Amino acid sequence: MKLVKFLLSFILLLTLQLTAIAQDPLGGRDLSTVKVEALTDNQISAIQQKLKQSGMTIDQVESQAIAKGMSPAEFAKLKDRVNGISGIVMAKSVKKNVSAGSSANQVAGKDTVSVALNPYLNTAVYGAELFLPSNSGNAANKALATPTNYEIGPNDVLKLVIYGVQEYSADLLVSKEGKIFIDNVGAVKIGGLNIEAAKVRIKQIMSSTAYSSLTRGESKIDLTLGDIRTIHVNVIGAFKSGTMNVSSLSNVISVLSEAGGPNAIGSYREIEVIRDNKLFKKVDLYKFMQYGDQSQNIGLKDNDIIRVPAYKQRVEIKGEVKRPGIFEVIGTESFSQILQYAGGFTDIAYSAWVKIIQKNDKEKSVKDLASIDYTKYIPKGGDQITVSKIINRFQNRVTLSGAVYRPDVYELTPGMRIADLINKADGLKEDAFIGRAQLIRTKPNLLKEMISINLASALKKNNADNIELQREDELYVNSILELRDSLTLELLGEVRSSGTFNYIDSMTVKDLILMAGGFTYAANKNIEVARLVKYGDKVENTEVTQILKTEINGDLSFNPGQENFVLQPLDVVTITKKVGYTLPEVVTISGQVQSAGKYTLSSRVERVSDIVKRAGGLIGEAYGEGAFIKRRRFDIDSLKSDETKTSIELAYTRKFKAKQEADRASILNTANATAITSVSDINLNPESKTIKLKDTLNALFKELDEDYYQIAIDINYIMKNPGSELDLVLRGKDEIVIPKMDNRVKISGGVLRPTNIVYRDGLTIGECISAAGGISEYAKRGRAYVIYANGKSDRTKTFGLFRINPKIKPGAEVVLPETDAKKEKAITTVIQFTTVLAQVVSALATISLLQR
């Protein structure tokens, strides 16, 4: 009855405490949807309290909880949390159904101990990692298969199964005397035996009584450990010392883990296991960690004592070892052995020497320990051993760069000379300049000096130039291409790809045109070549270039008497357009005409009246006084030409090439080249900057193409007087706009309410201002002006006491300028509003705090 009451209370408790959880997983008495992970620690503690009040264990409600829908897996999780939360040791008893009428029906008390978290655990100490919270797996695992060498003792529960011709099954509790009681067989003493020995004894006794089939092999016997007994172990010198109830499968490390590991001064290498008041085993955890020596992790028996004494000596190893930390030293261990505990040196460790800071009775001292003494030196307590890094330098490096086949870093061998180094690099390239090479050498004071070498002489093994190399020497072999001017040609005008071309010996005009992709359709056959005038020691006249002329046909053939010039460096070749050649230009007419659209200009002097006539003339709704022309502010086509783009890019590239050459020349002419690593490192590449320049130009061209200005025209006068001075000559991309009559007048600026009104004959500025509510405080009435529909404007004029206002027309806008005082007041108003808003927010925040 008590069991039923507790189960009902347990279900009700879970239901009430989890109503705040989304979707109410416990829904009445149905436990099928309970997720133990979702339960809080407070809810688990409440379940523990209810179990305590009822005097029951969590195991005793297992079958009923499963009957209510909870899965065995979820119940196992629940049991673990109930038994382990917050380090509380929960009493747990096992009550098994032994044979009917058995006098051995007893309840064995079982305890589990949760792993104690040691906040003072020094993780720098080697061995402490065994006792970190994440290593809770060190605790004895009760789900393991029964070890065959497990020694049976009182309160163990054995599961005996006979199967075959005869069958029998029972859970048998081992009494204090080490006996079990088997139905129809009687008492069998098995205490002190292991599982296999107990199995043999039970088989012998049962086969001689009612289970003779065991002898004939018609039945089989199986004996396993059904439930593990609890043993009592005392722990001294751990973080959580005291008596602990642990599984009989526990070992030294698992019990120490549950006790939080050795305390701050505890030894990891001289842990004592005391059994029957005698030292049974001295445990060295370093042997377990370093070699996996399981003999150090012995199993425990009832009333064993684990004593952790204070450590005797510790040393610290820092720097370039694989496992820096604090290490305990015992006996006569050398530094070499301690280094093994630290995992050995890292790949960049300076292993020839280590630095040791020692201490004596009064002060500290420094000891430099050589590698030959690593096995001899016995570390002392408090030693601080530091392993430094190797120096970031080379003891045998030389560098070769420039016009060789394999520029690289090479090993400096004894007696190595310049010719030997070049041979290692598979020799010189064809463009190598053998008259001179530069050897950059590091002097003893780390400054650099440059030594000029006659490379041709060095390759002939002349020791005067074929000098012996030293560590960190850098040899640079020049290319003849670097030592000559950057020779180019300029091709301008009507070719497909104008610009700058590299000069090639014996190149002709025809060759250059072919490299540029040939002529454009507009190309003239007349070609000019501008060639620099070469002077001797003095300039005799003002001539700068010599102009050479020739003619070439479209098929790149020359007429008789015309020369295909062989070009010289820095020649400028120009190909002009055909006489009178121009591309067709297009204008647009929009608005109130018969046929609005685009029209191609038929002559260089076509005017507004001509296009309007070609468009069929004006229609009835056309407002002639509002007509205007939209004209592009910039000639984008000329700016976007390949020639212009190329010129900009060339100028940009030349800037960086000039800097590159200047830097290289500066290095080559400087004896102490201390600011560089290698001459070959001087390499400026303007290509990425040129790409950015192209993107910038394209964005700029797009913006400029949308920029236009407005030209007011009197279309009515123009159509009556075609060809007059008001009849403008059009340009490509012009747009003639003929608007529809707009019968509105707009009033803006310094009025009380800007508005639009309907135009009427005789409308004055004063009437417009009145329609807008009058003049505002900051208006300049005498400066009023009118903007007409075609873009023209007219202002109010004053002569003494007389004021002449401009005439109002349909589509016009009346504007009253305002003084600067309004702008200043607007700024002041914004500042005042912001200040007041900040004060209000601060007050609300204060009130909110006072209400808490």
Side-chain angles (χ1 to χ4, degrees), residues 811-825:
E813 179 181 1
V814 178
V815 182
L816 270 72
E818 294 178 305
T819 63
D820 294 336
K822 180 178 180 181
K823 299 178 182 178
E824 295 173 0
K825 184 174 181 180

Side-chain angles (χ1 to χ4, degrees), residues 62-226:
E62 179 177 1
S63 60
Q64 288 82 359
I66 292 175
K68 292 296 181 182
M70 180 175 283
S71 67
E74 286 298 321
F75 187 84
K77 295 178 185 177
L78 179 63
K79 184 165 68 172
D80 288 343
R81 290 196 63 185
V82 169
N83 288 335
I85 189 170
S86 303
I88 299 175
V89 178
M90 301 296 295
K92 182 180 76 170
S93 62
V94 178
K95 187 173 184 181
K96 298 294 181 180
N97 183 19
V98 191
S99 308
S102 171
S103 62
N105 284 345
Q106 301 178 26
V107 177
K110 300 293 181 182
D111 296 327
T112 59
V113 182
S114 62
V115 176
L117 302 182
N118 184 354
Y120 306 106
L121 187 66
N122 186 355
T123 56
V125 176
Y126 181 58
E129 60 200 74
L130 288 173
F131 308 108
L132 293 174
S134 60
N135 289 336
S136 58
N138 287 331
N141 189 346
K142 299 178 183 180
L144 292 175
T146 305
T148 56
N149 62 348
Y150 177 76
E151 188 175 304
I152 299 171
N155 294 328
D156 277 342
V157 177
L158 303 178
K159 190 173 187 63
L160 177 62
V161 177
I162 305 294
Y163 57 95
V165 174
Q166 292 178 292
E167 293 184 353
Y168 176 80
S169 176
D171 290 341
L172 307 175
L173 179 68
V174 181
S175 67
K176 293 181 180 179
E177 294 78 19
K179 297 179 180 181
I180 57 174
F181 186 83
I182 305 174
D183 292 342
N184 301 320
V185 175
V188 180
K189 183 174 177 58
I190 59 173
L193 300 178
N194 60 37
I195 291 293
E196 284 300 317
K199 181 178 176 181
V200 172
R201 176 171 292 184
I202 293 171
K203 180 179 179 181
Q204 289 174 347
I205 294 175
M206 292 185 72
S207 62
S208 63
T209 57
Y211 295 91
S212 59
S213 60
L214 290 170
T215 304
R216 299 189 300 269
E218 297 172 351
S219 297
K220 303 292 183 182
I221 185 171
D222 188 30
L223 182 68
T224 57
L225 194 62

Side-chain angles (χ1 to χ4, degrees), residues 457-747:
S457 174
L459 293 175
K460 293 177 181 178
K461 306 296 180 67
N462 185 341
N463 288 343
D465 291 293
N466 189 30
I467 63 177
E468 186 173 344
L469 297 174
Q470 298 179 8
R471 183 180 63 85
E472 296 297 338
D473 276 356
E474 299 177 26
L475 180 64
Y476 182 77
V477 179
N478 294 285
S479 167
I480 59 174
L481 301 178
E482 297 172 345
L483 299 178
R484 64 186 290 186
D485 286 339
S486 179
L487 303 180
T488 59
L489 299 167
E490 293 281 349
L491 177 58
L492 307 177
E494 297 304 317
V495 289
R496 299 187 184 281
S497 298
S498 59
T500 301
F501 296 82
N502 291 326
Y503 172 77
I504 301 175
D505 290 342
S506 303
M507 178 184 286
T508 64
V509 172
K510 182 177 179 179
D511 295 330
L512 180 60
I513 295 172
L514 286 172
M515 290 179 65
F519 293 118
T520 65
Y521 184 75
N524 193 343
K525 66 179 181 179
N526 295 324
I527 296 176
E528 282 190 355
V529 178
R531 180 164 295 168
L532 289 176
V533 175
K534 297 180 181 178
Y535 293 101
D537 296 333
K538 60 180 181 179
V539 177
E540 299 178 352
N541 55 48
T542 59
E543 187 180 23
V544 177
T545 61
Q546 178 185 2
I547 304 300
L548 307 176
K549 295 186 177 182
T550 188
E551 293 183 3
I552 187 171
N553 299 318
D555 58 359
L556 298 181
S557 62
F558 288 86
N559 294 324
Q562 302 299 323
E563 183 179 357
N564 183 18
F565 292 118
V566 175
L567 298 174
Q568 296 183 7
L570 304 181
D571 278 356
V572 178
V573 180
T574 304
I575 300 172
T576 59
K577 288 183 179 181
K578 295 175 180 176
V579 177
Y581 178 86
T582 183
L583 290 174
E585 294 183 305
V586 177
V587 297
T588 305
I589 184 167
S590 60
Q592 305 305 304
V593 292
Q594 296 289 348
S595 299
K598 296 183 180 296
Y599 290 86
T600 302
L601 295 177
S602 60
S603 71
R604 300 177 186 274
V605 291
E606 194 157 10
R607 299 174 182 268
V608 173
S609 60
D610 299 325
I611 298 300
V612 173
K613 291 177 182 177
R614 289 170 62 183
L618 307 178
I619 60 177
E621 296 181 353
Y623 181 43
E625 295 188 14
F628 60 90
I629 295 174
K630 291 170 64 175
R631 177 165 288 174
R632 296 294 188 274
R633 196 177 300 275
F634 301 98
D635 185 1
I636 300 302
D637 289 338
S638 62
L639 289 176
K640 291 173 67 175
S641 67
D642 290 340
E643 185 174 333
T644 303
K645 282 186 178 180
T646 302
S647 298
I648 296 175
E649 291 164 8
L650 283 173
Y652 207 67
T653 304
R654 283 172 180 168
K655 172 184 174 182
F656 287 96
K657 282 189 176 180
K659 180 170 176 28
Q660 180 178 7
E661 295 300 329
D663 287 348
R664 188 180 296 279
S666 175
I667 295 301
L668 296 178
N669 293 328
T670 302
N672 294 321
T674 59
I676 63 168
T677 304
S678 171
V679 176
S680 61
D681 290 341
I682 309 171
N683 183 22
L684 295 178
N685 183 10
E687 182 178 350
S688 60
K689 298 182 181 293
T690 304
I691 294 174
K692 292 181 180 179
L693 176 64
K694 289 180 179 178
D695 294 340
T696 303
L697 287 175
N698 290 333
L700 176 63
F701 291 153
K702 182 178 180 182
E703 183 177 342
L704 294 178
D705 196 36
E706 297 172 353
D707 188 14
Y708 66 90
Y709 59 93
Q710 191 170 309
I711 304 174
I713 58 175
D714 187 346
I715 195 65
N716 293 329
Y717 178 86
I718 288 174
M719 296 311 295
K720 292 179 181 178
N721 302 280
S724 64
E725 68 279 3
L726 299 183
D727 192 3
L728 292 181
V729 175
L730 296 173
R731 298 180 184 174
K733 294 190 177 180
D734 278 354
E735 181 180 355
I736 305 170
V737 180
I738 312 294
K740 185 187 292 186
M741 170 66 73
D742 185 356
N743 225 23
R744 297 175 301 162
V745 176
K746 181 179 179 181
I747 304 100

Side-chain angles (χ1 to χ4, degrees), residues 349-364:
Y350 176 58
S351 58
W353 297 81
V354 296
K355 186 77 63 181
I356 302 177
I357 305 297
Q358 299 175 323
K359 67 172 185 176
N360 51 40
D361 295 338
K362 294 183 179 180
E363 56 189 358
K364 295 181 178 181

Side-chain angles (χ1 to χ4, degrees), residues 46 61 113 136 197 214 220 233 281 313 322 377 418 436 464 489 588 696:
V61 299
V113 182
S136 58
L214 290 170
K220 303 292 183 182
V233 178
K281 177 73 175 179
Q313 294 188 110
K322 294 174 182 175
Y377 178 72
I418 287 178
R436 187 70 57 187
L489 299 167
T588 305
T696 303

